[in-house]
């Protein structure tokens, strides 16, 4: 019996990990793109057997645990959409601390969640100028230059990791078994 439980646990872990890997994003000059389908700026997370309301509620529970002040960074619409406007992880670059500002939109249908992230700015933790995704007039720096070459690799790396952590946490919450405490 213990061996069967171990096999089921390992199989579930493998499936969940495979789903996370296929749900990754890459930050490009055109904003976030699905790594597996680069023409799409969203991913669809398949969750068979879960209703729209179940997915909405589990996602909302995750968001409430994930963010310090969820009511200040989220808005929602009729159990069909949640929009998050938030900051990513703090990191050091040059002599200053920075964080990425982004928006994540979640839309819900029975058995599916559509996740659409948007990169907004790199923000200076101590105030000061914001840095855009693509270099434009009036800016000395950006994540990408006008030709699409990475100028701030740390910002790109952190943005992708923040989104991967969000998707992994969301998937874990959705697949978590209910605990009758």
């Amino acid at each position: 019996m213990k061996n069967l439980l171990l096999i089921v646990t390992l199989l579930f872990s493998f499936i969940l990990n495979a789903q996370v890997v296929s749900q990754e994003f890459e930050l490009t000059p055109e904003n976030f793109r699905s790594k597996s389908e680069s023409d799409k700026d969203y991913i669809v997370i398949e969750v068979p057997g879960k209703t729209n309301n179940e997915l909405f509620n589990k996602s909302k529970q995750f968001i409430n645990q994930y963010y310090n002040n969820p009511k200040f960074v989220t808005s929602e619409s009729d159990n069909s959409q949640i929009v998050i406007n938030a900051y990513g992880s703090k990191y050091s670059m040059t002599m200053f601390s920075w964080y990425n500002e982004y928006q994540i939109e979640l839309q819900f249908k029975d058995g599916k969640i559509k996740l659409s992230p948007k990169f907004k700015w790199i923000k200076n933790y101590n105030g000061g100028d914001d840095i855009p995704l693509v270099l434009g007039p009036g800016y000395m720096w950006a994540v990408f230059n006008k030709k699409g070459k990475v100028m701030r690799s740390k910002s790109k790396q952190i943005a992708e990791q923040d989104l991967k952590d969000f998707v992994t946490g969301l998937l874990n919450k959705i697949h978590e078994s209910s605990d009758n405490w």
Side-chain angles (χ1 to χ4, degrees):
M1 184 67 175
K2 287 182 182 180
N3 289 338
L4 180 61
L5 183 60
L6 178 64
I7 290 171
V8 169
T9 303
L10 288 174
L11 184 61
F12 177 73
S13 174
F14 176 75
I15 291 169
L16 185 59
N17 190 40
Q19 191 173 11
V20 169
V21 169
S22 70
Q23 305 300 337
E24 288 187 28
F25 286 95
E26 180 176 16
L27 187 60
T28 72
E30 291 80 36
N31 220 304
F32 284 108
R33 294 284 183 217
S34 167
K35 272 192 173 180
S36 60
E37 298 178 65
S38 61
D39 60 324
K40 293 185 178 176
D41 63 352
Y42 64 89
I43 57 172
V44 176
I45 299 170
E46 302 276 343
V47 192
K50 298 274 187 186
T51 67
N52 172 29
N53 286 337
E54 288 174 313
L55 293 172
F56 180 87
N57 290 333
K58 282 283 193 180
S59 297
K60 194 167 176 182
Q61 287 173 6
F62 168 70
I63 290 164
N64 287 338
Q65 293 169 348
Y66 194 76
Y67 292 103
N68 292 333
N69 294 307
K71 69 180 182 177
F72 296 112
V73 299
T74 61
S75 58
E76 57 187 72
S77 173
D78 299 328
N79 289 357
S80 63
Q81 179 189 44
I82 299 174
V83 178
I84 305 160
N85 288 293
Y87 302 128
S89 303
K90 181 178 169 184
Y91 58 95
S92 295
M93 187 172 61
T94 61
M95 298 180 346
F96 300 103
S97 294
W98 302 86
Y99 55 89
N100 298 322
E101 183 179 359
Y102 57 88
Q103 179 182 69
I104 300 173
E105 179 184 359
L106 301 168
Q107 294 178 321
F108 304 92
K109 289 185 177 180
D110 287 346
K112 295 181 183 181
I113 301 173
K114 180 181 176 186
L115 194 143
S116 306
K118 306 258 183 304
F119 183 92
K120 292 183 170 183
W121 298 95
I122 301 173
K123 306 284 254 179
N124 186 319
Y125 192 76
N126 303 318
D129 294 336
D130 298 337
I131 298 175
L133 180 61
V134 179
L135 191 62
Y139 293 98
M140 290 179 52
W141 300 104
V143 179
F144 297 94
N145 67 17
K146 292 178 184 177
K147 294 181 180 181
K149 184 177 178 183
V150 176
M151 296 177 75
R152 293 285 179 236
S153 59
K154 182 128 185 185
S155 299
K156 180 182 184 308
Q157 174 192 356
I158 296 293
E160 291 170 352
Q161 188 62 50
D162 282 343
L163 204 49
K164 182 178 180 179
D165 293 346
F166 180 87
V167 172
T168 301
L170 180 63
L171 286 170
N172 286 338
K173 184 66 174 180
I174 288 169
H175 292 297
E176 148 185 291
S177 61
S178 55
D179 185 17
N180 294 330
W181 49 272

